[in-house]
Amino acid sequence: MMPIWTKSGEKHAVTLLKVQDCHVLRYVSKEESGGKTAKLLVGGKNVSPFSKPESAHEIFKEAGVPRKQKVTTFNVTEDAIIKPGTPLYAAHFRPGQFVDVTAKTIGKGFQGVMKRWGFKGQPASHGQTKTHRRPGAISTNKAAKVYRGKKMPGKMGNIYRTSFGLKVWRINTKHDIIYVNGSVPGHTNCLVKVKDSKLPTYKDCNKNPPFPTFFADGDEELPEDLFDEEIFQFTDPSVTFA
Amino acid sequence: RVSSDGKPPKFQPPPKPVIIDRKTQKEQSRFLSPEFIPPRGRTDPLKYYIERKDMIQRRKVFNIPEFYVGHVLAVTTANPHTSDKSNRFVGICIQRGGKGLGATFVLRNVIEDQGVEICYELYSPRIQAIEVLRLEKRLDENLMYLRDALPEYSTFDVNMKPAPRMDHEEIPVNKLQVRMKPKPWSKRWERPKYNIKGIKFELPERKMQAAQKWSQPWLEFDMLREYDTSKIEEKIRKELSEELGK
């Protein structure tokens, strides 16, 4: 995470996400998958092929791509289909866009009810016998049972969670890095899925995105860094208020 | 040595003279700002490389002078709420924290009997000028104890003129021992954890020895805490000198 300043001098915290060896693996049509839209399987981050059996390598061999650590699905419309085997780059996103970022949260192991659900516990003194971090009562007398989904101690973390509506401030095309506003679930160097935001406020914010994706062998020559309009770039002199 | 045959011992040639080259020694002791040295952790070094590129870019446009804890600085920042849209503050640097773009330094001064500390970010675009008014290092790297010292040690004239700098070589170390206000202090500065050399402790001997009870003499021998930054520093110095020389 890194600080970023706007032209008016305000500071925002920003997370850096690297797009590492992402390739489209397979196209699944609407009828085949049984859903409402077609799907594209995308894999990220190359990993050694020797730790899995040959049967698991079929998808990667068809696409002509080394084995990937993570394979995810994206629901796409018919006009956004990409041929399997095409690499995906950070330039697929543009500054000023809003994204949702999904990742597995940091695993905390087996945790008690105070940390996991934020219960208040009991006082430390004034006669409490062996009861300081316990849940207390778990149901009423009339119910005569414990409801399903009762908040109790258990394994916390290591589940998929999404941060919605994060603004993209800057894109580095040379190293394929996306600068996303705020924090993102997961530990450092964990794998993360970045999608266009589904929030209704940001439905029309993306004006001229590279569609279906940014192709590196195309005619477009992008500069090394793409900035949002409001970012203070370090090539400018210090901010002065008129 | 005992001679084997009764003959005189074998001729030992005298040791070769060690030549200390003054020029290379000078280059080795050049200053590297502490926020460039990456902390120990599992982050990808690419992140520090990219942050360093931004920091170098900012340094090309805006001059950040070399300064240590104990220097007296004057900082002008842009402020939309004042009439001339800028704000000047003079103070002694008591702490330099943070790594990368978020590096900060805290300036302290006593204005009209009120102690004021301001924490500035080195790379913030609102800073318009940093001037070094007095160059002197102190015995410690963290002068937070000035909060509990007598106010005369933290007062600096707001209209101070920059002191003329004699050589471009050594920065003088001020071995000033500061006198403290009566206890209680904000932190127990006599404890060995803070390792403060710049306070003239006027506490009785018994209290000083009782404070040594919290000493952890094994810490300096703990090998897992060692972080050798010499090679990283060399690489970063090379990178900096190339980029800033352009």
Side-chain angles (χ1 to χ4, degrees):
Chain A
M1 286 197 70
M2 204 154 86
I4 233 178
W5 286 274
T6 54
K7 290 201 166 125
S8 48
E10 287 153 7
K11 183 166 103 158
H12 296 271
V14 138
T15 316
L16 309 196
L17 306 174
K18 179 161 168 78
V19 178
Q20 196 164 359
D21 316 315
C22 288
H23 287 88
V24 176
L25 297 177
R26 195 199 276 171
Y27 160 68
V28 177
S29 62
K30 192 161 71 171
E31 296 78 36
E32 219 178 304
S33 63
K36 293 186 195 169
T37 46
K39 294 197 212 295
L40 277 182
L41 287 179
V42 170
K45 191 170 168 192
N46 293 342
V47 125
S48 107
F50 301 117
S51 40
K52 285 286 174 189
E54 286 292 321
S55 51
H57 292 311
E58 272 182 37
I59 312 178
F60 306 108
K61 278 194 185 143
E62 280 166 43
V65 140
R67 189 188 139 227
K68 303 288 183 186
Q69 187 172 342
K70 187 89 194 132
V71 177
T72 46
T73 41
F74 287 91
N75 293 333
V76 274
T77 43
E78 293 292 325
D79 50 353
I81 301 170
I82 310 175
K83 185 176 169 189
T86 37
L88 301 174
Y89 298 99
H92 175 97
F93 296 101
R94 287 296 146 96
Q97 212 180 338
F98 288 84
V99 284
D100 298 339
V101 177
T102 313
K104 271 198 170 180
T105 47
I106 299 179
K108 314 262 177 184
F110 196 101
Q111 286 300 337
V113 108
M114 274 178 87
K115 190 180 192 68
R116 196 177 182 213
W117 299 112
F119 283 15
K120 281 188 75 177
Q122 287 83 26
S125 69
H126 288 301
Q128 313 292 320
T129 37
K130 310 198 300 187
T131 320
H132 305 290
R133 300 184 67 93
R134 298 182 78 189
I138 53 176
S139 189
T140 48
N141 185 23
K142 196 166 175 201
K145 68 169 188 172
V146 177
Y147 294 118
R148 185 195 318 255
K150 175 82 195 72
K151 294 182 181 176
M152 285 186 159
K155 292 256 163 52
M156 179 180 163
N158 202 24
I159 46 170
Y160 284 105
R161 281 288 185 256
T162 316
S163 304
F164 295 102
L166 303 178
K167 180 166 173 180
V168 170
W169 283 109
R170 180 177 159 181
I171 302 237
N172 187 318
T173 34
K174 188 173 161 201
H175 297 278
D176 278 332
I177 299 183
I178 309 174
Y179 289 58
V180 145
N181 190 33
S183 61
V184 138
H187 56 86
T188 356
N189 304 334
C190 80
L191 286 174
V192 126
K193 177 177 175 183
V194 185
K195 281 172 80 164
D196 294 324
S197 192
K198 75 173 216 290
L199 296 179
T201 28
Y202 304 128
K203 212 165 38 165
D204 305 312
C205 81
N206 208 1
K207 323 256 154 151
N208 296 336
F211 197 78
T213 187
F214 171 75
F215 296 105
D217 49 352
D219 301 327
E220 248 187 291
E221 278 289 328
L222 283 179
E224 190 187 327
D225 272 305
L226 291 165
F227 295 92
D228 185 47
E229 298 144 355
E230 288 175 50
I231 284 190
F232 168 78
Q233 303 191 22
F234 290 113
T235 40
D236 305 333
S238 303
V239 158
T240 38
F241 298 104
Chain B
R1 273 218 187 159
V2 180
S3 52
S4 44
D5 298 336
K7 290 182 192 167
K10 197 176 168 197
F11 169 67
Q12 301 283 349
K16 286 200 176 146
V18 178
I19 307 169
I20 305 169
D21 202 0
R22 289 282 161 189
K23 276 187 188 169
T24 47
Q25 284 240 312
K26 254 195 234 174
E27 280 173 41
Q28 274 160 29
S29 58
R30 245 179 34 205
F31 172 72
L32 180 67
S33 206
E35 71 265 5
F36 280 104
I37 303 165
R40 204 158 65 142
R42 300 213 284 186
T43 341
D44 200 353
L46 177 68
K47 186 242 179 187
Y48 299 121
Y49 172 69
I50 289 192
E51 239 185 323
R52 243 177 292 139
K53 271 199 328 198
D54 276 340
M55 284 148 80
I56 291 171
Q57 192 54 257
R58 173 73 179 155
R59 279 185 183 239
K60 279 185 188 169
V61 175
F62 172 72
N63 172 44
I64 298 176
E66 166 189 343
F67 69 96
Y68 299 82
V69 166
H71 283 209
V72 180
L73 306 178
V75 174
T76 19
T77 39
N79 196 338
H81 306 293
T82 43
S83 47
D84 21 311
K85 305 296 171 191
S86 71
N87 188 5
R88 184 170 194 253
F89 185 73
V90 172
I92 184 171
C93 174
I94 51 176
Q95 176 183 281
R96 280 189 81 160
K99 299 282 180 200
L101 278 175
T104 52
F105 62 102
V106 181
L107 292 185
R108 179 184 166 82
N109 202 343
V110 171
I111 299 176
E112 292 180 15
D113 295 331
Q114 173 63 51
V116 176
E117 286 183 15
I118 304 189
C119 176
Y120 290 104
E121 284 153 9
L122 272 179
Y123 294 96
S124 166
R126 283 169 68 165
I127 295 187
Q128 281 156 349
I130 304 181
E131 299 140 30
V132 178
L133 298 177
R134 200 197 294 172
L135 280 143
E136 59 177 22
K137 275 204 222 184
R138 295 285 192 111
L139 291 167
D140 312 300
E141 282 183 0
N142 201 315
L143 297 179
M144 284 291 176
Y145 56 80
L146 287 180
R147 291 171 181 168
D148 298 313
L150 297 172
E152 59 188 38
Y153 294 101
S154 317
T155 26
F156 296 94
D157 183 22
V158 182
N159 304 315
M160 207 158 88
K161 298 288 173 206
R165 196 171 172 196
M166 295 282 106
D167 299 312
H168 282 277
E169 285 192 13
E170 285 176 31
I171 300 178
V173 177
N174 189 356
K175 302 203 174 161
L176 173 67
Q177 301 253 301
V178 149
R179 288 187 58 210
M180 305 290 275
K181 288 194 248 190
K183 269 199 157 192
W185 297 330
S186 60
K187 296 250 187 291
R188 294 171 215 245
W189 301 113
E190 73 276 11
R191 294 225 174 143
K193 163 177 156 190
Y194 299 105
N195 195 19
I196 291 184
K197 309 206 173 77
I199 296 183
K200 186 168 184 179
F201 290 109
E202 279 152 7
L203 299 171
E205 261 302 311
R206 236 189 39 190
K207 295 239 165 124
M208 295 301 290
Q209 278 169 9
Q212 291 301 314
K213 205 163 63 167
W214 279 269
S215 72
Q216 296 171 313
W218 58 84
L219 270 189
E220 60 169 312
F221 303 107
D222 193 343
M223 293 178 79
L224 283 182
R225 274 172 209 264
E226 283 170 8
Y227 181 39
D228 187 21
T229 50
S230 47
K231 290 187 185 152
I232 306 172
E233 272 184 41
E234 266 181 54
K235 270 194 221 162
I236 297 177
R237 271 209 190 98
K238 240 187 179 178
E239 208 185 302
L240 274 185
S241 53
E242 275 172 28
E243 290 290 321
L244 290 175
K246 280 185 196 167

